Amino acid sequence: MKYAKSEAKDFARSNMHGIWAAALNPFHADGSFNEEGLRSNIRHWVDELEIRGLFIAGKQGEFFSMSMEERARNMTIAVEECGARAGTIMSISDQNVSNVVELGLHAQACGADYVVVHAPVLSFCHDRDEVLYNYYKYLCDRLDIGVAMWSHPDSGYLMEPEQCARIAELPNIVAIKYSVPREMYVRLSHMVGDLIQVSTSLEDDWLDNIEELGWRLYLCSSPPYQLQTRNDKRMHEYTELAFAGRFEEARVVRDSLEPVRQAIRSTKPGGKPTAHGKYWQELLGQVGGFVRHPMLELTEDEKRRTREAFEGCGLTL
């Protein structure tokens, strides 16, 4: 590891910033993991798109369909390819806490920068405060690596800002990916200050959050490599303008991407977000590949409509 447990917060404060993307995992037609495809994508994302960090083996990466061995391998590949050029945050989320700890120990051993753990599904549990605090404390007691919380609707509830602020006091809690309504993450940002990094994955709000909340971290989803090409890095451009305080210029660049956003939104089938994201990658020249069950593939007609929207969205290849 690059820091001691007691230094986790300071290390993240100094190093966890800029645009971080959540990696989709490419699979072959037979369902096997396309390792070389992932390596190729990572080199493109880091070297050509200038993405500062990668979120590995998360929901975008279909971790729920992967074995423990595959998830560990996924982490190792990302560390090898990112090297010193980009950071890594590994999703070690699982309902089985022993699996969470095992994956966390592997992340430490293979050289990851941080891990992220989403709030567990808590069946029949309505008073969650102590349950959630003790869940994250249990993990922090057993791991030295910096840990990010992650709250999203898939858990069946949203962690309240007050709950998150309490957990943020634990020594190696460094961030939260907070997939909640804006009012909630604004409130948490004011509550924790610079104790931890607060972020959300909605690219539409990224610029506003830099300007209004002083955010320095986009953590993280697929827009950083779906809205950009090696010759058209407008998300990177408007982010750097915003970091420099040039917000009017940044808004012009951000708003110019609206046709791209609309092309993605208007063609993404509600039941096939992962397959759509992978096909969009292929249109960009990246390695998309196949999805695993229970996710569904696009039909030929869905591909045609997506391709037509892509061709008219204005991205420069």
Side-chain angles (χ1 to χ4, degrees):
M1 285 179 54
K2 302 170 185 174
Y3 53 88
K5 183 173 187 171
S6 61
E7 300 167 334
K9 282 181 171 15
D10 288 339
F11 183 86
R13 196 175 295 117
S14 298
N15 294 280
M16 198 179 195
H17 49 76
I19 295 172
W20 289 49
L24 288 159
N25 274 325
F27 298 113
H28 294 293
D30 64 0
S32 59
F33 187 18
N34 184 349
E35 293 189 6
E36 187 48 50
L38 177 61
R39 290 181 185 275
S40 174
N41 284 344
I42 291 175
R43 290 192 292 270
H44 169 61
W45 298 338
V46 172
D47 295 339
E48 297 181 314
L49 301 186
E50 301 181 71
I51 291 172
R52 296 296 300 271
L54 296 179
F55 186 116
I56 298 297
K59 291 193 298 179
Q60 295 274 7
E62 299 173 78
F63 83 89
F64 45 80
S65 72
M66 300 175 74
S67 68
M68 290 285 286
E69 292 76 16
E70 286 177 317
R71 293 175 70 182
R73 181 65 180 157
N74 199 179
M75 297 178 194
T76 300
I77 290 169
V79 170
E80 289 174 351
E81 290 301 329
C82 286
R85 305 189 311 282
T88 55
I89 182 166
M90 308 304 187
S91 174
I92 60 173
S93 301
D94 200 279
Q95 275 303 106
N96 184 322
V97 74
S98 296
N99 289 346
V100 178
V101 173
E102 180 181 337
L103 290 167
L105 293 173
H106 176 78
Q108 290 179 182
C110 77
D113 292 295
Y114 319 97
V115 297
V116 59
V117 186
H118 69 57
V121 174
L122 297 175
S123 302
F124 314 117
C125 184
H126 302 291
D127 185 0
R128 305 183 188 94
D129 289 7
E130 288 304 313
V131 180
L132 289 169
Y133 180 81
N134 281 283
Y135 178 74
Y136 280 101
K137 185 177 187 304
Y138 180 91
L139 298 174
C140 287
D141 286 347
R142 287 157 178 80
L143 299 173
D144 295 328
I145 197 168
V147 177
M149 297 175 277
W150 185 9
S151 180
H152 54 68
D154 293 0
S155 296
Y157 60 91
L158 298 176
M159 294 172 63
E160 293 296 329
E162 292 77 12
Q163 294 170 331
C164 299
R166 183 187 178 199
I167 295 167
E169 298 286 345
L170 293 168
N172 50 326
I173 294 289
V174 299
I176 181 170
K177 181 177 179 181
Y178 208 23
S179 305
V180 299
R182 194 166 193 270
E183 181 275 332
M184 292 178 69
Y185 69 67
V186 168
R187 187 149 51 99
L188 179 61
S189 293
H190 292 319
M191 291 172 69
V192 299
D194 67 352
L195 181 65
I196 65 169
Q197 301 255 26
V198 180
S199 187
T200 194
S201 60
L202 189 62
E203 182 269 334
D204 305 60
D205 293 343
W206 170 225
L207 175 55
D208 294 336
N209 291 333
I210 297 172
E211 182 174 13
E212 298 171 20
L213 300 174
W215 282 12
R216 307 293 289 181
L217 172 67
Y218 176 82
L219 185 74
C220 45
S221 191
S222 52
Y225 55 82
Q226 292 182 337
L227 297 180
Q228 303 191 102
T229 74
R230 63 173 57 87
N231 296 313
D232 192 344
K233 295 185 285 190
R234 279 177 277 172
M235 185 177 178
H236 174 80
E237 181 183 349
Y238 83 68
T239 297
E240 293 303 308
L241 286 168
F243 283 168
R246 297 161 61 182
F247 294 110
E248 288 189 15
E249 295 171 72
R251 276 189 286 274
V252 171
V253 179
R254 177 199 62 185
D255 293 348
S256 73
L257 281 168
E258 192 55 32
V260 187
R261 298 186 192 97
Q262 183 56 30
I264 293 173
R265 292 191 198 108
S266 65
T267 58
K268 184 186 298 183
K272 302 177 182 179
T274 310
H276 183 272
K278 292 185 180 187
Y279 185 61
W280 191 269
Q281 282 184 271
E282 291 178 4
L283 294 172
L284 286 165
Q286 301 172 30
V287 181
F290 295 82
V291 296
R292 282 182 173 176
H293 291 294
M295 308 309 289
L296 300 174
E297 299 289 355
L298 296 183
T299 65
E300 288 304 314
D301 186 58
E302 289 165 340
K303 288 182 179 181
R304 177 190 58 76
R305 287 189 281 111
T306 301
R307 186 168 58 252
E308 290 174 354
F310 174 83
E311 291 169 352
C313 75
L315 272 177
T316 301
L317 294 178

